[in-house]
Structures are given as C-alpha cells and as structure tokens.
Coordinates of all heavy atoms in Angstrom, one line a residue:
M1 N 0.8 -1.2 0.0 CA 0.0 0.0 0.0 C 0.9 1.3 0.0 O 0.6 2.2 -0.7 CB -0.9 0.0 1.3 CG -2.3 -0.4 1.0 SD -2.8 -0.6 -0.7 CE -4.3 0.3 -0.7
K2 N 1.9 1.2 0.8 CA 2.8 2.3 0.9 C 3.4 2.7 -0.5 O 3.5 3.8 -0.9 CB 4.0 2.0 1.9 CG 4.3 3.1 2.8 CD 5.4 2.7 3.7 CE 5.3 3.6 5.0 NZ 6.2 3.1 6.0
S3 N 3.9 1.6 -1.2 CA 4.5 1.9 -2.5 C 3.5 2.4 -3.5 O 3.8 3.2 -4.4 CB 5.2 0.6 -3.0 OG 4.2 -0.4 -3.3
L4 N 2.3 2.0 -3.3 CA 1.2 2.5 -4.2 C 1.1 4.0 -4.0 O 1.0 4.8 -5.0 CB -0.1 1.8 -4.0 CG -1.2 2.1 -5.0 CD1 -0.7 1.6 -6.4 CD2 -2.5 1.5 -4.6
A5 N 1.0 4.4 -2.7 CA 0.9 5.8 -2.4 C 2.1 6.6 -3.0 O 1.9 7.7 -3.6 CB 0.8 6.0 -0.9
L6 N 3.2 6.1 -2.8 CA 4.4 6.7 -3.3 C 4.4 6.9 -4.8 O 4.7 8.0 -5.4 CB 5.7 5.9 -2.9 CG 7.0 6.7 -3.0 CD1 7.0 7.8 -2.0 CD2 8.1 5.7 -2.7
A7 N 4.0 5.8 -5.5 CA 3.9 5.9 -7.0 C 2.9 6.9 -7.4 O 3.2 7.6 -8.4 CB 3.5 4.5 -7.5
S8 N 1.9 7.1 -6.7 CA 0.9 8.1 -7.2 C 1.4 9.5 -6.9 O 1.1 10.4 -7.7 CB -0.5 7.9 -6.6 OG -0.4 8.0 -5.2
I9 N 2.2 9.7 -5.9 CA 2.8 11.0 -5.6 C 3.8 11.3 -6.8 O 3.8 12.4 -7.3 CB 3.5 11.1 -4.3 CG1 2.5 11.0 -3.1 CG2 4.4 12.3 -4.1 CD1 3.1 10.8 -1.8
V10 N 4.6 10.4 -7.1 CA 5.6 10.6 -8.1 C 4.9 10.9 -9.5 O 5.3 11.8 -10.2 CB 6.5 9.3 -8.3 CG1 7.4 9.4 -9.5 CG2 7.4 9.2 -7.1
A11 N 3.9 10.1 -9.8 CA 3.2 10.3 -11.0 C 2.6 11.7 -11.0 O 2.6 12.4 -12.0 CB 2.1 9.3 -11.2
G12 N 2.1 12.2 -9.9 CA 1.5 13.5 -9.7 C 2.5 14.6 -10.0 O 2.3 15.5 -10.8
L13 N 3.7 14.4 -9.5 CA 4.8 15.4 -9.7 C 5.2 15.5 -11.2 O 5.3 16.5 -11.7 CB 6.0 15.0 -8.8 CG 5.9 15.3 -7.3 CD1 7.1 14.8 -6.6 CD2 5.7 16.8 -7.1
L14 N 5.3 14.3 -11.8 CA 5.7 14.3 -13.2 C 4.7 15.0 -14.0 O 5.0 15.8 -14.9 CB 5.8 12.8 -13.7 CG 7.1 12.1 -13.2 CD1 7.0 10.6 -13.6 CD2 8.3 12.7 -13.7
F15 N 3.4 14.7 -13.7 CA 2.3 15.3 -14.5 C 2.4 16.8 -14.3 O 2.2 17.6 -15.3 CB 1.0 14.8 -14.0 CG -0.1 15.2 -14.9 CD1 -0.3 14.7 -16.1 CD2 -1.0 16.2 -14.4 CE1 -1.3 15.2 -17.0 CE2 -2.0 16.7 -15.2 CZ -2.2 16.1 -16.5
T16 N 2.5 17.3 -13.1 CA 2.5 18.8 -12.9 C 3.7 19.4 -13.6 O 3.6 20.5 -14.2 CB 2.7 19.1 -11.4 OG1 2.1 18.1 -10.6 CG2 2.2 20.4 -11.0
G17 N 4.9 18.8 -13.6 CA 6.0 19.3 -14.3 C 5.7 19.4 -15.7 O 6.0 20.5 -16.3
A18 N 5.1 18.4 -16.3 CA 4.8 18.5 -17.7 C 3.8 19.6 -18.1 O 4.0 20.3 -19.1 CB 4.3 17.1 -18.2
A19 N 2.9 19.8 -17.2 CA 1.9 20.9 -17.4 C 2.5 22.3 -17.4 O 2.1 23.1 -18.1 CB 0.8 20.7 -16.4
Y20 N 3.5 22.5 -16.6 CA 4.1 23.8 -16.4 C 5.2 24.1 -17.4 O 5.4 25.3 -17.8 CB 4.6 24.0 -15.0 CG 3.5 24.4 -14.1 CD1 2.9 23.4 -13.3 CD2 2.9 25.7 -14.1 CE1 1.8 23.7 -12.5 CE2 1.9 26.0 -13.2 CZ 1.3 25.0 -12.4 OH 0.2 25.3 -11.7
A21 N 6.0 23.1 -17.8 CA 7.1 23.4 -18.7 C 6.5 23.5 -20.1 O 6.0 22.6 -20.7 CB 8.1 22.2 -18.7
Q22 N 6.6 24.8 -20.6 CA 6.1 25.0 -22.0 C 7.2 24.9 -23.0 O 8.3 25.3 -22.7 CB 5.6 26.5 -22.1 CG 4.1 26.6 -21.7 CD 3.6 28.0 -22.1 OE1 4.1 29.0 -21.6 NE2 2.7 28.1 -22.9
S23 N 7.0 24.3 -24.1 CA 8.0 24.1 -25.1 C 8.3 25.5 -25.7 O 7.6 26.4 -25.7 CB 7.5 23.1 -26.1 OG 6.6 23.7 -27.0
G24 N 9.5 25.5 -26.3 CA 9.9 26.7 -27.1 C 8.9 27.1 -28.1 O 8.5 28.3 -28.3
D25 N 8.3 26.1 -28.8 CA 7.3 26.3 -29.8 C 6.1 27.0 -29.2 O 5.6 28.0 -29.8 CB 6.9 25.0 -30.4 CG 7.8 24.6 -31.6 OD1 8.2 25.5 -32.4 OD2 8.1 23.4 -31.7
D26 N 5.6 26.5 -28.1 CA 4.4 27.1 -27.4 C 4.7 28.5 -27.0 O 3.8 29.4 -27.2 CB 4.1 26.3 -26.2 CG 3.5 24.9 -26.5 OD1 3.1 24.7 -27.6 OD2 3.5 24.0 -25.6
L27 N 5.9 28.8 -26.5 CA 6.2 30.1 -26.0 C 6.3 31.1 -27.2 O 5.8 32.2 -27.1 CB 7.5 30.1 -25.3 CG 7.5 29.5 -23.9 CD1 8.8 29.2 -23.3 CD2 6.7 30.5 -22.9
L28 N 6.9 30.7 -28.3 CA 7.0 31.6 -29.4 C 5.6 32.0 -29.9 O 5.4 33.1 -30.3 CB 7.8 30.9 -30.6 CG 9.3 30.7 -30.4 CD1 9.9 29.8 -31.4 CD2 10.0 32.0 -30.3
K29 N 4.7 31.1 -29.8 CA 3.3 31.4 -30.1 C 2.7 32.3 -29.1 O 2.2 33.3 -29.4 CB 2.5 30.1 -30.2 CG 1.6 30.0 -31.4 CD 0.8 28.7 -31.4 CE 1.6 27.6 -32.2 NZ 1.0 26.3 -32.0
S30 N 2.8 31.9 -27.8 CA 2.0 32.6 -26.8 C 2.6 34.0 -26.5 O 1.9 34.9 -26.0 CB 1.9 31.8 -25.5 OG 3.2 31.6 -24.9
K31 N 3.9 34.2 -26.8 CA 4.5 35.5 -26.5 C 4.4 36.4 -27.7 O 5.0 37.5 -27.8 CB 6.0 35.3 -26.2 CG 6.3 34.6 -24.9 CD 6.0 35.5 -23.7 CE 6.2 34.7 -22.4 NZ 5.8 35.5 -21.2
G32 N 3.7 35.9 -28.8 CA 3.5 36.8 -29.9 C 4.6 36.9 -30.9 O 4.5 37.7 -31.8
C33 N 5.7 36.1 -30.7 CA 6.8 36.2 -31.6 C 6.4 35.9 -33.1 O 7.0 36.5 -34.0 CB 7.9 35.3 -31.2 SG 8.2 35.2 -29.4
L34 N 5.5 35.0 -33.2 CA 5.2 34.5 -34.6 C 4.3 35.5 -35.3 O 4.1 35.4 -36.5 CB 4.5 33.2 -34.5 CG 5.3 32.0 -33.9 CD1 4.6 30.7 -33.9 CD2 6.7 31.9 -34.5
G35 N 3.9 36.6 -34.7 CA 3.3 37.7 -35.4 C 4.3 38.4 -36.3 O 3.9 38.9 -37.4
C36 N 5.5 38.4 -35.9 CA 6.6 39.1 -36.8 C 7.6 38.1 -37.3 O 8.4 38.5 -38.2 CB 7.3 40.1 -35.9 SG 6.4 41.5 -35.5
H37 N 7.6 36.9 -36.8 CA 8.6 35.9 -37.3 C 7.9 34.6 -37.8 O 6.8 34.3 -37.3 CB 9.5 35.5 -36.1 CG 10.4 36.6 -35.7 ND1 11.6 37.0 -36.3 CD2 10.3 37.5 -34.6 CE1 12.2 37.9 -35.6 NE2 11.4 38.3 -34.6
D38 N 8.5 33.9 -38.7 CA 8.1 32.6 -39.1 C 9.3 31.8 -39.1 O 10.5 32.3 -39.2 CB 7.5 32.7 -40.5 CG 6.9 31.4 -40.9 OD1 5.8 31.1 -40.5 OD2 7.6 30.7 -41.7
M39 N 9.2 30.5 -38.9 CA 10.4 29.6 -38.9 C 11.1 29.7 -40.3 O 12.3 29.7 -40.3 CB 9.9 28.1 -38.7 CG 9.6 27.9 -37.2 SD 11.0 28.1 -36.1 CE 10.2 28.2 -34.5
Q40 N 10.3 29.7 -41.3 CA 10.8 29.5 -42.7 C 10.9 30.8 -43.5 O 11.7 30.8 -44.4 CB 10.0 28.5 -43.4 CG 9.9 27.1 -42.8 CD 11.3 26.4 -42.7 OE1 12.1 26.6 -43.6 NE2 11.5 25.7 -41.6
T41 N 10.0 31.7 -43.2 CA 9.9 32.8 -44.2 C 10.1 34.1 -43.5 O 9.7 34.3 -42.3 CB 8.4 32.9 -44.7 OG1 7.9 31.5 -44.7 CG2 8.3 33.4 -46.1
K42 N 10.7 35.1 -44.2 CA 10.9 36.4 -43.6 C 9.5 37.1 -43.5 O 8.8 37.1 -44.5 CB 11.8 37.2 -44.5 CG 12.2 38.6 -44.0 CD 13.2 39.2 -44.9 CE 13.4 40.7 -44.7 NZ 13.0 41.3 -43.5
K43 N 9.2 37.7 -42.4 CA 8.0 38.5 -42.3 C 8.4 39.9 -41.9 O 9.2 40.5 -42.6 CB 7.0 37.9 -41.2 CG 6.3 36.6 -41.6 CD 5.7 35.9 -40.5 CE 4.3 36.4 -40.2 NZ 3.7 35.6 -39.1
V44 N 7.9 40.4 -40.8 CA 8.5 41.7 -40.3 C 9.9 41.5 -39.8 O 10.8 42.3 -40.1 CB 7.6 42.2 -39.1 CG1 8.1 43.6 -38.6 CG2 6.1 42.3 -39.5
G45 N 10.1 40.4 -39.2 CA 11.5 40.1 -38.7 C 12.0 38.9 -39.5 O 11.3 38.3 -40.3
P46 N 13.3 38.6 -39.4 CA 13.9 37.5 -40.1 C 13.3 36.1 -39.8 O 12.9 35.9 -38.7 CB 15.4 37.6 -39.7 CG 15.4 38.3 -38.4 CD 14.2 39.3 -38.4
A47 N 13.4 35.2 -40.8 CA 13.0 33.8 -40.5 C 13.9 33.2 -39.5 O 15.1 33.5 -39.5 CB 13.0 33.1 -41.8
Y48 N 13.4 32.4 -38.6 CA 14.2 31.8 -37.6 C 15.3 30.9 -38.2 O 16.3 30.8 -37.6 CB 13.4 31.1 -36.5 CG 12.6 32.1 -35.6 CD1 11.4 31.8 -35.0 CD2 13.2 33.3 -35.2 CE1 10.8 32.6 -34.2 CE2 12.6 34.2 -34.4 CZ 11.4 33.8 -33.8 OH 10.7 34.7 -33.0
K49 N 14.9 30.3 -39.3 CA 16.0 29.5 -39.9 C 17.2 30.3 -40.4 O 18.3 29.9 -40.3 CB 15.4 28.5 -41.0 CG 15.2 29.2 -42.3 CD 14.9 28.0 -43.3 CE 14.6 28.4 -44.7 NZ 14.9 29.5 -45.4
D50 N 16.9 31.5 -40.8 CA 18.0 32.4 -41.2 C 18.8 32.9 -40.0 O 20.0 33.1 -40.0 CB 17.5 33.6 -42.0 CG 16.9 33.2 -43.3 OD1 17.2 32.1 -43.8 OD2 16.0 33.9 -43.8
V51 N 18.1 33.1 -38.9 CA 18.8 33.5 -37.6 C 19.7 32.4 -37.2 O 20.9 32.6 -36.9 CB 17.8 33.9 -36.5 CG1 18.5 34.2 -35.2 CG2 16.9 35.1 -36.9
A52 N 19.2 31.2 -37.2 CA 19.9 30.0 -36.8 C 21.2 29.9 -37.7 O 22.3 29.6 -37.2 CB 19.1 28.7 -36.9
A53 N 21.0 30.1 -39.0 CA 22.1 30.0 -40.0 C 23.2 31.0 -39.7 O 24.4 30.8 -39.7 CB 21.6 30.1 -41.4
K54 N 22.7 32.3 -39.4 CA 23.6 33.4 -39.1 C 24.5 33.1 -37.9 O 25.7 33.4 -37.8 CB 22.8 34.6 -38.9 CG 23.6 35.9 -38.6 CD 22.7 37.1 -38.5 CE 22.8 37.8 -37.2 NZ 21.9 39.0 -37.0
Y55 N 23.9 32.4 -36.9 CA 24.6 32.2 -35.6 C 25.3 30.8 -35.5 O 25.9 30.5 -34.6 CB 23.7 32.4 -34.4 CG 23.4 33.8 -34.1 CD1 22.3 34.5 -34.5 CD2 24.3 34.6 -33.4 CE1 22.0 35.8 -34.3 CE2 24.1 35.9 -33.1 CZ 22.9 36.5 -33.5 OH 22.7 37.8 -33.2
K56 N 25.1 30.1 -36.6 CA 25.7 28.7 -36.6 C 27.2 28.7 -36.3 O 27.9 29.4 -36.9 CB 25.4 28.0 -37.9 CG 25.5 26.5 -37.9 CD 25.0 26.0 -39.2 CE 24.9 24.5 -39.1 NZ 25.6 23.5 -39.2
G57 N 27.6 27.9 -35.3 CA 29.0 27.8 -35.0 C 29.6 28.9 -34.2 O 30.7 28.9 -33.9
K58 N 28.7 29.9 -33.9 CA 29.2 31.1 -33.1 C 29.1 30.7 -31.6 O 28.0 30.4 -31.2 CB 28.5 32.3 -33.4 CG 28.7 32.8 -34.9 CD 28.6 34.3 -35.0 CE 29.0 34.7 -36.4 NZ 27.9 35.3 -37.2
S59 N 30.2 30.9 -30.9 CA 30.1 30.6 -29.5 C 29.3 31.8 -28.8 O 29.4 32.9 -29.2 CB 31.4 30.4 -28.9 OG 32.2 31.6 -29.0
G60 N 28.6 31.4 -27.8 CA 27.8 32.4 -27.0 C 26.6 33.0 -27.7 O 26.1 34.0 -27.3
A61 N 26.2 32.3 -28.8 CA 25.1 32.9 -29.6 C 23.8 33.0 -28.7 O 23.1 34.0 -28.8 CB 24.8 31.9 -30.8
E62 N 23.6 31.9 -27.9 CA 22.4 31.9 -27.1 C 22.3 33.1 -26.2 O 21.3 33.9 -26.1 CB 22.3 30.6 -26.4 CG 21.0 30.4 -25.7 CD 20.9 29.1 -24.9 OE1 21.3 28.0 -25.5 OE2 20.5 29.1 -23.8
A63 N 23.5 33.3 -25.5 CA 23.5 34.5 -24.5 C 23.4 35.8 -25.2 O 22.8 36.7 -24.7 CB 24.8 34.4 -23.7
T64 N 24.0 35.9 -26.4 CA 24.0 37.2 -27.1 C 22.5 37.5 -27.5 O 22.1 38.7 -27.2 CB 24.8 37.1 -28.5 OG1 26.1 36.6 -28.2 CG2 24.8 38.4 -29.2
I65 N 21.8 36.5 -28.0 CA 20.5 36.8 -28.5 C 19.5 37.1 -27.3 O 18.7 38.0 -27.3 CB 19.9 35.6 -29.3 CG1 20.8 35.5 -30.5 CG2 18.5 35.8 -29.7 CD1 20.4 34.2 -31.4
I66 N 19.7 36.3 -26.2 CA 18.9 36.5 -25.0 C 19.1 38.0 -24.5 O 18.1 38.7 -24.2 CB 19.2 35.5 -23.9 CG1 18.7 34.1 -24.3 CG2 18.6 36.0 -22.5 CD1 19.1 33.0 -23.3
G67 N 20.4 38.4 -24.5 CA 20.7 39.8 -24.1 C 19.9 40.8 -25.0 O 19.3 41.8 -24.5
E68 N 20.0 40.6 -26.3 CA 19.3 41.5 -27.3 C 17.8 41.6 -27.0 O 17.2 42.7 -27.0 CB 19.5 41.0 -28.7 CG 20.9 41.2 -29.3 CD 21.0 40.6 -30.7 OE1 20.1 40.0 -31.2 OE2 22.1 40.8 -31.3
L69 N 17.2 40.4 -26.8 CA 15.8 40.4 -26.6 C 15.4 41.1 -25.3 O 14.4 41.8 -25.2 CB 15.3 39.0 -26.7 CG 15.5 38.2 -28.0 CD1 14.9 36.8 -27.9 CD2 14.8 39.0 -29.2
K70 N 16.2 40.9 -24.3 CA 15.9 41.4 -23.0 C 16.0 42.9 -22.9 O 15.2 43.6 -22.3 CB 16.9 40.9 -22.0 CG 16.3 39.8 -21.1 CD 17.5 39.3 -20.2 CE 17.1 39.1 -18.8 NZ 18.1 38.3 -18.1
E71 N 17.1 43.4 -23.6 CA 17.4 44.9 -23.6 C 16.7 45.6 -24.7 O 16.6 46.9 -24.7 CB 18.9 45.1 -23.7 CG 19.7 44.4 -22.6 CD 19.3 44.9 -21.2 OE1 19.1 46.1 -21.1 OE2 19.3 44.0 -20.3
G72 N 16.1 44.9 -25.7 CA 15.6 45.6 -26.8 C 16.6 46.3 -27.7 O 16.4 47.3 -28.3
K73 N 17.9 45.7 -27.6 CA 19.0 46.2 -28.5 C 19.1 45.2 -29.6 O 19.2 44.0 -29.4 CB 20.3 46.2 -27.7 CG 20.4 47.4 -26.8 CD 21.8 47.5 -26.2 CE 21.9 48.4 -25.1 NZ 22.7 48.0 -23.9
G74 N 19.1 45.8 -30.9 CA 19.1 44.8 -32.0 C 17.8 44.1 -32.2 O 17.7 43.2 -32.9
H75 N 16.8 44.6 -31.4 CA 15.5 44.0 -31.6 C 14.5 45.2 -31.4 O 14.7 46.0 -30.5 CB 15.2 42.9 -30.5 CG 14.1 42.0 -30.9 ND1 12.8 42.2 -30.4 CD2 14.0 41.1 -31.8 CE1 12.0 41.3 -30.9 NE2 12.7 40.6 -31.8
P76 N 13.4 45.2 -32.2 CA 12.5 46.4 -32.2 C 11.8 46.6 -30.8 O 11.4 47.7 -30.5 CB 11.5 46.0 -33.2 CG 11.8 44.7 -33.7 CD 13.1 44.3 -33.3
M77 N 11.7 45.5 -30.0 CA 11.1 45.8 -28.7 C 11.7 44.8 -27.7 O 12.2 43.8 -28.0 CB 9.6 45.6 -28.8 CG 9.1 44.4 -29.6 SD 9.0 43.0 -28.6 CE 8.0 41.8 -29.3
K78 N 11.6 45.3 -26.4 CA 12.0 44.4 -25.3 C 11.1 43.3 -25.2 O 9.9 43.5 -25.3 CB 12.0 45.2 -24.0 CG 13.2 46.0 -23.7 CD 13.2 46.4 -22.3 CE 14.2 47.6 -22.1 NZ 14.3 48.0 -20.7
V79 N 11.6 42.1 -25.0 CA 10.7 40.9 -24.9 C 10.5 40.7 -23.4 O 11.5 40.6 -22.6 CB 11.4 39.7 -25.5 CG1 10.6 38.5 -25.2 CG2 11.4 39.9 -27.0
S80 N 9.3 40.7 -22.9 CA 9.0 40.4 -21.5 C 8.8 38.9 -21.3 O 7.7 38.4 -21.7 CB 7.9 41.2 -20.9 OG 6.7 40.9 -21.5
A81 N 9.7 38.2 -20.8 CA 9.6 36.8 -20.5 C 10.7 36.5 -19.5 O 11.7 37.2 -19.3 CB 9.9 36.0 -21.8
S82 N 10.5 35.4 -18.8 CA 11.5 35.0 -17.7 C 12.7 34.5 -18.4 O 12.7 34.2 -19.6 CB 10.9 33.9 -16.9 OG 10.8 32.7 -17.6
D83 N 13.8 34.4 -17.7 CA 15.1 33.9 -18.2 C 14.9 32.5 -18.8 O 15.4 32.2 -19.9 CB 16.2 33.9 -17.2 CG 16.6 35.3 -16.9 OD1 16.2 36.3 -17.6 OD2 17.5 35.5 -16.0
A84 N 14.1 31.7 -18.1 CA 13.9 30.3 -18.5 C 13.1 30.3 -19.8 O 13.4 29.5 -20.7 CB 13.2 29.5 -17.4
E85 N 12.1 31.2 -19.9 CA 11.3 31.2 -21.1 C 12.2 31.7 -22.3 O 12.1 31.2 -23.4 CB 10.1 32.2 -20.9 CG 9.1 31.6 -20.0 CD 8.0 32.6 -19.7 OE1 8.2 33.8 -19.7 OE2 6.9 32.1 -19.3
L86 N 13.0 32.7 -22.1 CA 13.8 33.2 -23.1 C 14.8 32.2 -23.6 O 15.0 32.0 -24.8 CB 14.7 34.4 -22.6 CG 13.9 35.8 -22.6 CD1 14.7 36.8 -21.7 CD2 13.6 36.3 -24.0
K87 N 15.4 31.4 -22.7 CA 16.3 30.4 -23.0 C 15.6 29.3 -23.9 O 16.1 28.9 -24.9 CB 16.8 29.7 -21.7 CG 17.9 28.7 -22.0 CD 18.6 28.5 -20.6 CE 19.3 27.1 -20.5 NZ 20.1 26.7 -21.6
S88 N 14.4 28.9 -23.5 CA 13.7 27.9 -24.2 C 13.3 28.4 -25.6 O 13.5 27.7 -26.6 CB 12.6 27.5 -23.3 OG 11.5 27.0 -23.8
M89 N 12.9 29.7 -25.7 CA 12.6 30.2 -27.1 C 13.8 30.3 -28.0 O 13.8 30.0 -29.1 CB 11.9 31.6 -26.9 CG 10.5 31.5 -26.4 SD 9.7 33.1 -26.5 CE 10.4 34.0 -25.2
V90 N 14.9 30.8 -27.4 CA 16.1 31.1 -28.2 C 16.7 29.7 -28.6 O 17.2 29.6 -29.8 CB 17.1 31.9 -27.4 CG1 18.5 32.0 -28.2 CG2 16.6 33.4 -27.3
E91 N 16.6 28.7 -27.7 CA 17.1 27.4 -28.2 C 16.3 26.9 -29.3 O 16.8 26.3 -30.3 CB 17.0 26.4 -27.0 CG 18.2 26.4 -26.1 CD 18.0 25.6 -24.8 OE1 17.0 24.9 -24.6 OE2 19.0 25.7 -24.0
R92 N 15.0 27.1 -29.3 CA 14.1 26.7 -30.4 C 14.5 27.4 -31.7 O 14.6 26.8 -32.7 CB 12.7 26.9 -30.0 CG 11.7 26.5 -31.1 CD 11.8 25.0 -31.3 NE 11.0 24.6 -32.5 CZ 11.6 24.5 -33.7 NH1 12.8 24.8 -33.9 NH2 10.8 24.1 -34.8
V93 N 14.7 28.8 -31.6 CA 15.1 29.5 -32.7 C 16.4 29.0 -33.4 O 16.5 28.8 -34.6 CB 15.2 31.0 -32.4 CG1 15.9 31.8 -33.5 CG2 13.9 31.7 -32.0
L94 N 17.4 28.8 -32.5 CA 18.7 28.3 -33.0 C 18.6 26.9 -33.6 O 19.5 26.5 -34.3 CB 19.7 28.5 -31.9 CG 20.1 29.9 -31.5 CD1 21.0 30.0 -30.4 CD2 20.6 30.7 -32.7
A95 N 17.6 26.2 -33.2 CA 17.5 24.8 -33.8 C 16.7 24.8 -35.1 O 16.5 23.8 -35.7 CB 16.8 23.9 -32.7
A96 N 16.2 26.0 -35.5 CA 15.3 26.0 -36.7 C 16.2 25.7 -38.0 O 17.3 26.1 -38.1 CB 14.7 27.4 -36.9
K97 N 15.5 25.0 -38.9 CA 16.2 24.7 -40.1 C 15.2 24.9 -41.3 O 14.1 24.6 -41.1 CB 16.7 23.2 -40.3 CG 17.3 22.6 -39.1 CD 18.0 21.3 -39.5 CE 18.2 20.4 -38.5 NZ 18.1 19.7 -37.5
Ligands
HEC1 C1 6.9 43.8 -33.8 C2 7.6 42.7 -34.5 C3 8.4 41.7 -33.8 C4 8.0 40.9 -32.7 C5 6.7 40.8 -32.0 C6 9.2 40.0 -32.4 N1 10.2 40.3 -33.2 FE1 12.1 39.4 -33.2 N2 12.7 40.7 -34.7 C7 11.9 41.7 -35.3 C8 12.7 42.4 -36.3 C9 12.2 43.6 -37.2 C10 14.0 41.9 -36.2 C11 15.3 42.3 -37.0 C12 16.0 43.3 -36.2 C13 17.3 43.8 -36.9 O1 17.9 43.0 -37.5 O2 17.6 45.0 -36.7 C14 13.9 40.8 -35.2 C15 15.0 40.0 -34.9 C16 14.9 38.9 -34.1 C17 16.0 37.9 -33.8 C18 17.4 37.9 -34.5 C19 18.3 38.8 -33.7 C20 19.7 38.7 -34.3 O3 20.7 39.0 -33.5 O4 19.8 38.5 -35.5 C21 15.5 37.0 -32.9 C22 16.3 35.8 -32.4 C23 14.2 37.4 -32.6 N3 13.8 38.5 -33.3 C24 13.4 36.7 -31.7 C25 12.1 37.1 -31.3 C26 11.4 36.5 -30.2 C27 11.8 35.3 -29.4 C28 10.2 37.2 -30.1 C29 9.1 36.9 -29.2 C30 9.3 36.9 -27.8 C31 10.2 38.2 -31.1 N4 11.4 38.2 -31.8 C32 9.2 39.1 -31.4 C33 10.5 41.9 -35.1 C34 9.8 41.3 -34.1

C-alpha cells in the first residue's frame, strides 16, 4: 500500500512538471513572436531558420540573443519573458532549419 501511495505522488509530480514546462514552440506562439517571425519565411522580422544559420557555429550565440531580446537592443522591442522562457525560445530559434 505504501509503495502505491508513493507511486501516485511521483506520477502527480511528473504530471505537474509536464503541465508547467512550456516548449519553445508554445512560447514563441504565446509570446506573440510569430506575429513578426516565421520559422521558414521572412515577415516583419527575419525567418528563424536564417537567424539559426547566421549564428551557426558562433560561441555564445544563445547568450547574445537573449541579451538583445531582454534589452531591446538589435530588436525592435524588449521581450518580456522570464530567463527560463527566453532560453527555451532562443534554443528553439537556433534549432530552426
Ligand atoms: C513587432 C515585430 C516583432 C516581434 C513581435 C518580435 N520580433 Fe524578433 N525581430 C523583429 C525584427 C524587425 C528583427 C530584426 C531586427 C534587426 O535586424 O535589426 C527581429 C530579430 C529577431 C531575432 C534575431 C536577432 C539577431 O541577432 O539576429 C531574434 C532571435 C528574434 N527577433 C526573436 C524574437 C522572439 C523570441 C520574439 C518573441 C518573444 C520576437 N522576436 C518578437 C521583429 C519582431
């Protein structure tokens, strides 16, 4: 009985974790990035696959871009998102092909 209770607690935690962790894709949508960006095509802003190509092989690309988005430097507006959200979105952008 004890192990059953434990198993259900663990399952509950896993489930909660999954519900809160939003994927980069979800965040790009919910933060409105896709209003100006598309994975494949240039819109108001550059296509994410072009951004990924531009930064390919550059060290510190993720940190550079997160900085730009946070400060609104090299980006038309400051992006309001937590550090974890920014990281997840930028990782997704840099993985675009
Ligand atoms: C109002 C339109 C608009 C919105 C909304 C927007 N962007 Fe952009 N974004 C741009 C434009 C325009 C550029 C090109 C800026 C430049 O090159 O000077 C850009 C550039 C970028 C770049 C490339 C930066 C670089 O160093 O090359 C990334 C990455 C990016 N945006 C991510 C995002 C993310 C993530 C979001 C959502 C949180 C977002 N953008 C929302 C218009 C937008």
Side-chain angles (χ1 to χ4, degrees):
M1 260 348 228
K2 222 178 204 168
S3 64
L4 188 64
L6 197 64
S8 60
I9 291 172
V10 171
L13 285 176
L14 285 176
F15 185 74
T16 326
Y20 279 98
Q22 271 190 300
S23 74
D25 273 318
D26 290 342
L27 285 165
L28 290 170
K29 222 181 273 169
S30 65
K31 295 284 175 186
C33 316
L34 300 183
C36 290
H37 294 278
D38 184 79
M39 286 296 164
Q40 301 297 327
T41 332
K42 186 177 169 11
K43 287 167 86 176
V44 181
Y48 285 148
K49 81 169 175 21
D50 295 337
V51 176
K54 182 175 124 185
Y55 283 98
K56 198 171 188 277
K58 296 211 172 113
S59 64
E62 191 180 310
T64 306
I65 298 175
I66 289 176
E68 288 176 353
L69 297 179
K70 255 177 140 165
E71 301 301 322
K73 283 189 193 139
H75 198 259
M77 43 86 161
K78 275 195 199 180
V79 170
S80 66
S82 72
D83 287 356
E85 287 172 336
L86 282 167
K87 185 165 158 42
S88 158
M89 287 189 284
V90 170
E91 274 171 6
R92 179 64 191 93
V93 168
L94 291 176
K97 317 193 201 38

